Amino acid sequence: METSIEEDAGGPARPATTVADGADAAVGAEAAVPAPVAVRPASLSPSRAGDFMQCPLLYRFRVIDRLPEKPSEAATRGTLVHAVLERLFDAPAAERTAPRAKALVPGQWDRLRESRPEVGELFADDPEGERLARWLGEAERLVERWFTLEDPSRLEPAERELFVEAELDSGLRLRGIIDRVDVAPTGEVRIVDYKTGKAPKPQYAEGALFQMKFYALVVWRLKKVVPRRLQLVYLGSGDVLTYDPVLADLERVERKLLALWEAIRLATETGEWRPRPTKLCGWCDHQAHCPEFGGTPPPYPLPVRAAESGGAEQGRMGPG
């Protein structure tokens, strides 16, 4: 799911907030304002797993500290397009046309601004609305392109925007939101995810499929059925990437997630969250708190213990 508010490792999706211990003391007539208290990670989603593999310190900022992040035009456009594609299936099959889908864009944008007022800041410096109009036009073109890749009049999804959660034998809880689940008359399951960006180069396809294999693992654990097909629909480039998993794929993903969760557990207990500089750092909202940019992380809000000698090195879980 290509949105900016996917569920985090501690619970369902929520707006980002700044962590503080307890509440400010009331002064005079001013009432105390409670602040969220940091909690230990309790579950893992594809987005948060990706965060830790990309940069353990980024995971800490998002999951432990819950530092606020500014909305981006790209992520917000992804959220908008997803909402349009989901709502289109409310219409009868014959009415699922490109013009109808494009007509949904303005109303879904209004709903998004109502539910997440912070996205309105994206166009605060656009009093004439010219940049907003171009941005909405880009969303409409992405919606139109979908009709060249799939025919919604011939689809009847079993589920849309489906929240799934499963607990592994180890006690690790996995959770996520699947864009679409199709079930054939024969019972075969297809998991579909929309991406508003461009398809990755072949050498990077495995990273893109990690999210889909994660979902497939959850479905297998819940339904005892290995999905027949995983399908990524890239609206930015007009490509469709498919993969037919087998049980061994899901078992490998489970082992990887267990190792990843152990690394997160140890980092949580020791407070050692190492930054991992990459080209993606240029887009990070947390440079002011990152040692790689001369910043200082906030005080660690959880109790820590000394790392055990000979224990696993922290923050080095790779993407492979």
Side-chain angles (χ1 to χ4, degrees):
M1 173 104 178
E2 194 179 48
T3 68
S4 58
I5 58 169
E6 182 174 352
E7 74 293 340
D8 64 26
R14 61 176 68 85
T17 54
T18 302
V19 168
D21 290 325
D24 296 331
V27 179
E30 294 182 354
V33 179
V37 178
V39 296
R40 292 179 179 274
S43 60
L44 197 60
S45 72
S47 292
R48 300 295 78 85
D51 286 344
F52 190 86
M53 290 187 290
Q54 175 186 326
C55 174
L57 186 58
L58 174 64
Y59 177 96
R60 179 203 148 169
F61 287 157
R62 285 179 167 169
V63 177
I64 305 295
D65 300 295
R66 301 188 186 185
L67 297 181
E69 297 183 349
K70 297 178 180 178
S72 72
E73 290 190 16
T76 304
R77 183 169 51 240
T79 303
L80 174 59
V81 170
H82 276 76
V84 169
L85 300 188
E86 180 191 5
R87 291 276 72 82
L88 183 65
F89 283 104
D90 290 340
E95 298 178 19
R96 298 172 196 161
T97 63
R100 184 186 182 98
K102 287 176 59 178
L104 291 173
V105 171
Q108 291 302 313
W109 170 235
D110 290 340
R111 290 184 60 183
L112 182 58
R113 285 187 301 168
E114 290 174 4
S115 62
R116 296 177 55 201
E118 69 273 14
V119 301
E121 300 172 7
L122 289 169
F123 303 101
D125 60 348
D126 182 36
E128 302 300 321
E130 295 179 359
R131 190 158 56 86
L132 173 60
R134 288 196 298 272
W135 183 83
L136 289 172
E138 292 168 357
E140 291 178 353
R141 285 189 288 276
L142 291 171
V143 169
E144 272 191 307
R145 183 169 290 153
W146 179 51
F147 287 81
T148 69
L149 305 174
E150 295 189 290
D151 182 357
S153 68
R154 303 181 64 180
L155 297 170
E156 291 298 340
E159 301 286 353
R160 291 173 277 155
E161 296 295 315
L162 175 66
F163 174 77
V164 291
E165 182 176 45
E167 184 171 317
L168 304 182
D169 294 339
S170 65
L172 170 59
R173 281 191 295 126
L174 305 178
R175 62 199 309 164
I177 300 175
I178 302 175
D179 288 346
R180 198 179 86 219
V181 178
D182 301 331
V183 179
T186 55
E188 295 177 314
V189 174
R190 177 172 63 182
I191 297 176
V192 181
D193 196 78
Y194 308 120
K195 300 293 185 184
T196 50
K198 296 180 179 180
K201 295 180 180 179
Q203 60 266 37
Y204 301 116
E206 184 58 33
L209 284 171
F210 171 76
Q211 172 189 7
M212 304 302 287
K213 292 179 181 179
F214 183 110
Y215 292 148
L217 171 61
V218 175
V219 170
W220 173 52
R221 284 297 190 178
L222 287 174
K223 304 292 186 181
K224 306 303 180 185
V225 173
V226 176
R228 176 67 178 83
R229 173 153 294 181
L230 310 178
Q231 181 167 304
L232 285 158
V233 181
Y234 286 94
L235 304 176
S237 57
D239 295 301
V240 176
L241 176 63
T242 62
Y243 183 81
D244 296 341
V246 295
L247 182 57
D249 290 323
L250 309 188
E251 292 172 337
R252 281 192 294 270
V253 170
E254 182 168 337
R255 290 194 295 269
K256 178 174 181 174
L257 291 173
L258 291 174
L260 180 65
W261 188 247
E262 178 63 13
I264 291 172
R265 184 189 66 79
L266 290 172
T268 302
E269 292 183 354
T270 62
E272 296 180 14
W273 301 90
R274 299 179 182 179
R276 182 183 294 127
T278 68
K279 294 179 180 179
L280 297 175
C281 292
W283 286 273
C284 183
D285 279 348
H286 307 302
Q287 293 181 10
H289 296 290
C290 180
E292 294 294 325
F293 292 86
T296 302
Y300 191 56
L302 297 175
V304 299
R305 66 168 177 80
E308 298 176 3
S309 60
E313 184 181 7
Q314 301 306 300
R316 294 299 177 187
M317 180 70 184

